[in-house]
């Protein structure tokens, strides 16, 4: 091979030398042409000269061919190097031709360009590998993985060599399939990465690289793990639903507050109308003089009604916000219930309602509580049972001592509470239209007060009711040993 | 119409308030028919041929409100006699007077207004009834 190169170089040298020598020789022949013609030696000379010219011309052609083939080979090497660079093949460059200055410089330039490209490539490779998102490049002809970054390999738990050249469908499925994704590469696609530990929800953004002829070449894919996003989204949706519900509840409470304010206005103003009106009649000496005492009695009654309403409101406010300010001590519920029932018996008889004390025990039923508030609790429930009863109805009051608790029951044979009102009856702003005539009484805070008193005693209250048959309230309080 | 002793239909559910208005109107020489709710008032309306010179209605009644009663009575017979209606309320809702007028009421008073105003309004409505609204015998 080395000899051949030497011969080729020699031939090039010969062609370089012979070309100009032939030219000089031909020029000398032209100069000598006329003198040879005059001396008649032209015919002898011409054969010799012709043979010399043909020999020199042949040598020149041979040397030129050899020179040309050497040039062609170097150009081919450079072109091949450029093609491999373009394809990103990692092979190194051949040494640039040392004696061919132009091509040598060109080769050197390509080598410098390659070094720069390799630097950039390694920079992007580093980005590619440290990115938390998964990157893939996929051949569009057979959907095989051409390249995958570390994030992807880690996610699927395989080495890079185990992933490359594998069909992408083995590791990643898209909801709409890969063909559809290739048809719409610029859209965001949803799918899953399949791992041994289960499927991971991903979002895939695709970019299609086309070849020089415009044909699909490489599909670049960025896969983002959205499983946490999905969990967050689910959490967000849950919270949003809860907030919406809370908002509705607040709206509901707002509506009840409006209703309460209307009721409050009506219930506080009604006794005031009578009070103010009858006082005006007395002051202006209208009406019959003998009726004035009766007017004063009406005024007094309405004044007491007002006082009661205001006290109820204040009690409710105190019970809601200052439970620790109530003095607690041992209270005999049995004696308390008996006394309150006796106090209300007259009122019940006036309303033609029978009051029955069912099986009260002889022994004291001791609880720890605030005596005044427990009286209020029993009074409120008894009054409700009488008030919302029917003529000839029955109110039955029971007390039972269990191992750790005392259970009080207040049953009436009244009209009952409709199912739709049951959830709201302890709401302070709520007042169900409970009576048969639809008469609205009180501020609708009686049951709310009862509930607050039960809470003060860390007890429990339950209600059972059937429209048309009656209602039973059950109060459970902790028993003192 | 007996202007000296006009007939007033009073519909009020609170017994003390009803007693107050009855005492007040009676002292003015008016004859007062008292009803505690809409049902009683309609029953009275249908049970007699007598027609009141004035109706005084509470806005908030147990089985409806004064406006329902207004519409119930005025809607029964369009051509028949409709007495002037005064609605009383302890509500304090600023939209109520307009709603009452729309329903056919001629006057709207707050229950806490001075009683003299109630008397003067009652007399004005009775006197302003006009000949076409004359009480049938």
């Amino acid at each position: 091979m080395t000899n051949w190169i030497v011969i080729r170089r020699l031939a090039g040298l010969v062609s370089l030398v012979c070309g100009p020598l032939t030219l000089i020789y031909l020029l000398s022949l032209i100069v000598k042409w006329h003198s040879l013609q005059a001396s008649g030696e032209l015919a002898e000379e011409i054969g010799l000269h012709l043979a010399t010219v043909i020999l020199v011309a042949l040598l020149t052609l041979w040397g030129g061919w050899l020179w040309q083939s050497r040039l062609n080979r170097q150009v081919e090497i450079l072109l091949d190097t450029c093609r491999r660079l373009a394809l990103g093949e990692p092979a190194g460059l051949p040494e640039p031709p040392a004696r061919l200055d132009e091509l040598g410089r060109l080769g050197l330039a390509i080598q410098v360009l390659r070094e720069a490209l390799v630097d950039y490539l390694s920079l992007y490779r580093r980005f590619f590998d440290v990115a938390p998102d998964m990157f893939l490049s996929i051949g569009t002809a057979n959907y095989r993985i051409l390249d995958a970054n570390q994030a992807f390999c880690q996610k699927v738990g395989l080495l890079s060599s185990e992933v490359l050249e594998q069909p992408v469908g083995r590791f990643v499925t898209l909801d709409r399939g890969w063909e559809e994704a290739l048809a719409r590469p610029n859209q965001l696609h949803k799918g899953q990465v399949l791992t041994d530990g289960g499927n991971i929800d991903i979002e895939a953004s695709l970019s299609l690289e086309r070849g020089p002829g415009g044909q699909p070449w490489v599909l670049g894919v960025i896969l983002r793990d959205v499983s946490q996003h999905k969990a967050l989204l689910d959490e967000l949706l849950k919270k949003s639903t809860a907030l919406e519900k809370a908002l509705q509840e607040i709206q509901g409470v707002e509506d009840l507050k409006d209703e309460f304010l209307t009721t409050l206005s009506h219930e506080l103003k009604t006794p005031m109308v009578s009070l103010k009106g009858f006082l005006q009649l007395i002051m202006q000496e209208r009406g019959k003089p003998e009726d004035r005492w009766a007017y004063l009695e009406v005024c007094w009654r309405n004044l007491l009604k007002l006082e009661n309403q205001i006290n109820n409101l204040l009690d409710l406010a105190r019970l809601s916000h200052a439970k620790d300010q109530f003095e607690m001590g041992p209270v005999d519920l049995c004696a308390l219930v008996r006394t309150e029932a006796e106090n209300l018996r007259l009122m019940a008889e006036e309303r033609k309602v029978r009051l029955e004390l069912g099986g009260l025990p002889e022994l004291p039923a001791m609880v720890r509580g605030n005596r005044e508030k427990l009286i209020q609790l029993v009074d409120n429930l008894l009054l409700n049972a009488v008030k919302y009863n029917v003529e000839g109805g029955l109110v039955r009051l029971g007390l039972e001592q269990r191992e750790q608790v005392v259970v009080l029951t207040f049953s009436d044979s009244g009209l009952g509470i409709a199912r739709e009102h049951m959830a709201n009856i302890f709401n302070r702003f709520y007042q169900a239209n409970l009576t048969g005539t639809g008469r609205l009484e009180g501020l609708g805070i009686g049951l709310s007060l009862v509930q607050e008193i039960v809470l003060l005693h860390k007890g429990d209250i339950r209600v059972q009711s059937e429209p048309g048959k009656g209602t039973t309230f059950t109060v459970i309080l902790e028993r003192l040993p | 119409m007996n202007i000296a002793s006009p007939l007033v239909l009073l519909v009020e559910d609170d017994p003390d308030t009803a007693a107050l208005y009855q005492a007040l109107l009676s002292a003015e020489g008016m004859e007062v028919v008292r009803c505690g709710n809409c049902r009683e008032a309609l029953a009275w309306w249908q049970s007699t041929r007598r027609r009141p010179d004035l109706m005084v209605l509470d806005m908030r009644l147990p089985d409806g409100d004064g406006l329902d009663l207004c519409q119930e009575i005025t809607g029964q017979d369009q051509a028949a006699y409709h007495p002037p209606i005064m609605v009383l309320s302890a509500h304090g809702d600023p939209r109520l007077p307009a709603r009452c007028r729309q329903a056919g009421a001629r006057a709207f008073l707050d229950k806490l207004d001075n009683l003299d105003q109630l008397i003067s309004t009652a007399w004005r409505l009775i006197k302003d009834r006009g000949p076409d609204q004359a009480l049938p015998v």
Side-chain angles (χ1 to χ4, degrees):
Chain A
M1 182 61 80
T2 314
N3 288 341
W4 174 243
I5 290 169
V6 170
I7 292 166
R8 221 169 41 179
R9 284 183 179 175
L10 194 63
L13 192 64
V14 167
S15 91
L16 271 176
V17 173
C18 288
L21 279 178
T22 310
L23 202 61
I24 293 164
Y25 188 71
L26 281 174
L27 283 172
S28 69
L29 272 183
I30 291 164
V31 171
K32 281 170 79 180
W33 181 266
H34 293 287
S35 59
L36 284 173
Q37 210 173 19
S39 65
E41 292 172 359
L42 183 62
E44 292 171 17
E45 288 276 329
I46 201 157
L48 181 65
H49 287 303
L50 198 60
T52 309
V53 166
I54 288 169
L55 179 67
V56 170
L58 282 172
L59 280 170
T60 306
L61 277 173
W62 176 68
W65 174 79
L66 284 177
W67 184 252
Q68 180 64 35
S69 67
R70 185 188 173 207
L71 274 177
N72 280 349
R73 182 170 166 72
Q74 290 302 328
V75 168
E76 268 173 26
I77 289 170
L78 288 175
L79 281 175
D80 185 52
T81 306
C82 289
R83 187 181 61 78
R84 281 157 63 192
L85 263 180
L87 288 172
E89 287 179 13
L93 280 176
E95 283 299 311
R99 301 288 175 87
L100 299 170
D101 282 351
E102 296 300 324
L103 286 178
R105 282 209 294 278
L106 194 60
L108 201 61
I110 291 172
Q111 212 163 19
V112 170
L113 189 65
R114 176 188 174 274
E115 293 303 324
L117 281 174
V118 166
D119 278 351
Y120 273 115
L121 193 65
S122 65
L123 180 71
Y124 283 103
R125 183 80 229 177
R126 283 202 299 279
F127 290 156
F128 189 67
D129 278 336
V130 299
D133 285 335
M134 296 167 269
F135 285 90
L136 290 178
S137 60
I138 297 163
T140 53
N142 50 14
Y143 296 100
R144 283 184 186 272
I145 296 173
L146 302 177
D147 201 357
N149 72 343
Q150 283 176 9
F152 181 81
C153 297
Q154 280 168 3
K155 197 67 87 179
V156 296
L158 293 171
L159 295 172
S160 175
S161 57
E162 294 171 308
V163 168
L164 297 183
E165 292 303 320
Q166 294 298 315
V168 68
R170 204 183 127 192
F171 307 108
V172 184
T173 58
L174 296 183
D175 292 353
R176 292 178 176 179
W178 281 98
E179 285 80 7
E180 174 80 9
L182 185 63
R184 292 187 176 80
N186 297 321
Q187 289 182 4
L188 207 60
H189 294 265
K190 289 186 176 174
Q192 290 181 320
V193 170
L194 316 173
T195 72
D196 289 342
N199 298 347
I200 299 163
D201 290 313
I202 48 110
E203 267 177 11
S205 65
L206 284 73
S207 61
L208 180 63
E209 290 299 316
R210 293 185 183 276
Q215 78 283 11
W217 184 32
V218 175
L219 196 59
V221 185
I222 302 172
L223 302 169
R224 178 158 288 179
D225 181 348
V226 293
S227 52
Q228 275 187 336
H229 294 196
K230 208 176 168 195
L232 278 173
L233 189 71
D234 287 347
E235 187 70 15
L236 205 65
L237 271 176
K238 236 184 258 175
K239 290 209 165 143
S240 155
T241 313
L243 272 175
E244 213 168 296
K245 204 176 157 196
L247 195 68
Q248 277 172 357
E249 273 171 23
I250 289 170
Q251 188 60 50
V253 170
E254 282 297 314
D255 292 346
L256 288 173
K257 263 187 180 173
D258 288 347
E259 175 65 22
F260 172 73
L261 284 174
T262 308
T263 311
L264 181 70
S265 160
H266 185 265
E267 294 302 321
L268 291 179
K269 271 186 170 181
T270 301
M272 274 173 67
V273 169
S274 303
L275 192 59
K276 191 180 163 193
F278 278 110
L279 280 176
Q280 197 180 342
L281 288 188
I282 294 166
M283 284 162 69
Q284 293 175 350
E285 297 183 346
R286 291 195 202 187
K288 296 173 198 161
E290 62 268 28
D291 288 340
R292 286 187 190 146
W293 272 114
Y295 293 172
L296 276 177
E297 274 176 20
V298 176
C299 289
W300 180 248
R301 195 166 59 235
N302 280 285
L303 199 64
L304 292 181
K305 221 189 257 182
L306 263 179
E307 188 190 19
N308 188 40
Q309 306 281 38
I310 291 164
N311 281 342
N312 271 348
L313 275 174
L314 292 175
D315 272 354
L316 189 62
R318 274 183 69 206
L319 276 163
S320 300
H321 301 295
K323 285 196 172 61
D324 53 345
Q325 289 177 9
F326 290 90
E327 263 185 48
M328 308 294 265
V331 179
D332 177 6
L333 262 189
C334 206
L336 186 148
V337 161
R338 199 171 274 128
T339 310
E340 292 315 304
E342 282 313 313
N343 288 346
L344 283 170
R345 192 175 292 282
L346 191 65
M347 192 200 104
E349 280 169 8
E350 275 174 11
R351 297 204 176 209
K352 296 184 179 128
V353 172
R354 197 151 48 89
L355 191 59
E356 218 177 76
L357 287 149
L360 288 189
E362 292 302 318
L363 290 171
M366 300 304 290
V367 295
R368 190 171 177 277
N370 180 288
R371 185 176 180 78
E372 192 193 327
K373 292 293 131 195
L374 286 173
I375 289 174
Q376 206 171 3
L377 179 144
V378 172
D379 278 0
N380 263 312
L381 287 174
L382 268 179
L383 265 170
N384 267 350
V386 173
K387 200 159 75 177
Y388 298 123
N389 219 312
V390 289
E391 206 174 295
L394 173 74
V395 171
R396 193 177 173 80
L397 209 161
L399 190 151
E400 189 190 341
Q401 294 206 68
R402 294 186 189 161
E403 201 175 332
Q404 291 183 330
V405 292
V406 178
V407 181
L408 279 168
T409 49
F410 304 79
S411 305
D412 67 60
S413 58
L415 296 154
I417 304 165
R419 191 179 291 272
E420 65 265 28
H421 296 310
M422 292 286 273
N424 281 317
I425 57 166
F426 292 115
N427 192 311
R428 73 184 57 179
F429 303 124
Y430 195 80
Q431 186 188 45
N433 194 356
L434 298 171
T435 63
T437 60
R439 178 166 172 71
L440 301 164
E441 282 185 12
L443 289 177
I445 59 175
L447 284 177
S448 186
L449 257 178
V450 165
Q451 192 190 34
E452 289 293 346
I453 295 168
V454 171
L455 286 176
L456 174 72
H457 291 83
K458 297 183 172 58
D460 193 11
I461 183 163
R462 291 162 198 174
V463 59
Q464 278 182 306
S465 187
E466 201 175 331
K469 291 201 172 168
T471 306
T472 300
F473 284 93
T474 306
V475 176
I476 302 162
L477 299 171
E478 197 179 332
R479 184 182 165 185
L480 270 185
Chain B
M1 169 173 71
N2 181 0
I3 199 78
S5 178
L7 177 65
V8 178
L9 173 63
L10 170 66
V11 190
E12 166 63 57
D13 65 324
D14 182 68
D16 289 341
T17 310
L20 170 70
Y21 293 148
Q22 185 171 24
L24 193 68
L25 297 170
S26 300
E28 291 293 315
M30 299 179 196
E31 184 189 347
V32 179
V33 174
R34 247 173 82 173
C35 296
N37 53 44
C38 300
R39 191 168 39 83
E40 275 180 33
L42 281 171
W44 178 84
W45 188 273
Q46 283 157 3
S47 68
T48 177
R49 288 192 64 227
R50 294 182 74 195
R51 290 295 175 252
D53 298 286
L54 173 69
M55 285 173 67
V56 178
L57 311 178
D58 183 12
M59 182 66 206
R60 183 171 162 137
L61 290 164
D63 53 352
D65 60 32
L67 298 186
D68 293 340
L69 193 57
C70 264
Q71 280 162 347
E72 187 84 30
I73 287 173
T74 53
Q76 274 194 348
D77 186 355
Q78 295 292 331
Y81 161 75
H82 299 140
I85 294 169
M86 169 163 46
V87 177
L88 300 174
S89 170
H91 254 270
D93 184 341
R95 294 164 297 184
L96 271 181
R99 279 183 59 208
C100 290
R101 277 190 205 98
Q102 208 174 4
R106 299 268 296 278
F108 176 88
L109 288 184
D110 189 300
K111 282 184 177 178
L112 282 175
D113 283 346
N114 198 303
L115 291 180
D116 295 334
Q117 197 177 345
L118 189 138
I119 293 296
S120 61
T121 308
W123 277 119
R124 180 171 57 78
L125 293 183
I126 291 167
K127 285 174 184 166
D128 289 355
R129 279 190 316 151
D132 59 320
Q133 292 178 324
L135 186 68
V137 181

